[in-house]
Amino acid sequence: MSSKILVDEIVGKTTGFTSITSGLIGKSAIYGWNSTDTTSVSNSTVTVVNLSTTNHNSNGITTGANNRLIPTKSGTYFMFTMAQATGTGSQGYTPTMYIYKNGSSFSSRGSIRNYAGSCTLDFPTHMSVVSANGSSDYFQMALWQNSGNTFSVNGGSVFMLRVGD
């Protein structure tokens, strides 16, 4: 059995997310990502995470009001979300990560943490395949926790990549 690697173009050394993305998925790939911005996540309240306006990179996905990623081409997308926060937890609480589509929960992932005291809380990383109509559909990342206290998001990101029609 043999394999072939076909190369259209070899370019000089570049750095950053854009060059990595282009190298892995090509210059015509439709993708978008945004890092999180500080967000307070109160006890037992689903909270849409603030997205940073300075760290957005996109090719066919725009950012919109209310911390939205908006695909501008219809299709099927792979979506990946991750977030961390600082705060004080109680023993045995459940952080949950949500992917919202058009303002409602599309999918979620929760897990149980058993750490009392001041800590960095890693919300469960979540990924899903979503469909978008290319015009009015939008996506958000939301968090929920029941530690009895408020946590402050201090890191994370949301990423979308078009994987099919």
Side-chain angles (χ1 to χ4, degrees):
M1 178 186 288
S2 63
S3 299
K4 291 182 184 179
I5 297 176
L6 303 174
V7 178
D8 288 336
E9 179 182 355
I10 297 176
V11 296
K13 184 174 132 181
T14 59
T15 60
F17 180 82
T18 303
S19 63
I20 293 168
T21 304
S22 294
L24 292 174
I25 58 180
K27 292 181 182 177
S28 62
I30 296 172
Y31 63 92
W33 72 277
N34 217 321
S35 64
T36 59
D37 205 356
T38 303
T39 307
S40 293
V41 182
S42 299
N43 182 62
S44 297
T45 303
V46 176
T47 305
V48 172
V49 176
N50 296 325
L51 299 179
S52 171
T53 57
T54 58
N55 293 319
H56 176 258
N57 191 332
S58 177
N59 181 23
I61 297 178
T62 63
T63 55
N66 302 315
N67 303 295
R68 299 173 178 179
L69 286 184
I70 306 165
T72 58
K73 181 164 177 64
S74 63
T76 302
Y77 288 79
F78 171 75
M79 188 168 180
F80 177 83
T81 57
M82 56 185 266
Q84 69 177 29
T86 57
T88 302
S90 59
Q91 188 169 353
Y93 56 100
T94 308
T96 304
M97 170 77 72
Y98 291 89
I99 292 175
Y100 270 26
K101 179 179 181 179
N102 300 327
S104 298
S105 177
F106 176 80
S107 65
S108 64
R109 181 169 182 252
S111 63
I112 296 173
R113 299 290 189 256
N114 193 18
Y115 183 81
S118 180
C119 64
T120 296
L121 169 61
D122 291 317
F123 283 84
T125 299
H126 185 46
M127 59 190 97
S128 188
V129 174
V130 298
S131 64
N133 63 18
S135 58
S136 61
D137 285 339
Y138 64 90
F139 299 88
Q140 298 166 298
M141 175 173 48
L143 304 174
W144 181 90
Q145 56 86 18
N146 63 344
S147 70
N149 297 301
T150 297
F151 274 80
S152 181
V153 173
N154 61 3
S157 61
V158 58
F159 173 80
M160 294 182 77
L161 170 67
R162 186 171 184 268
V163 294
D165 292 330

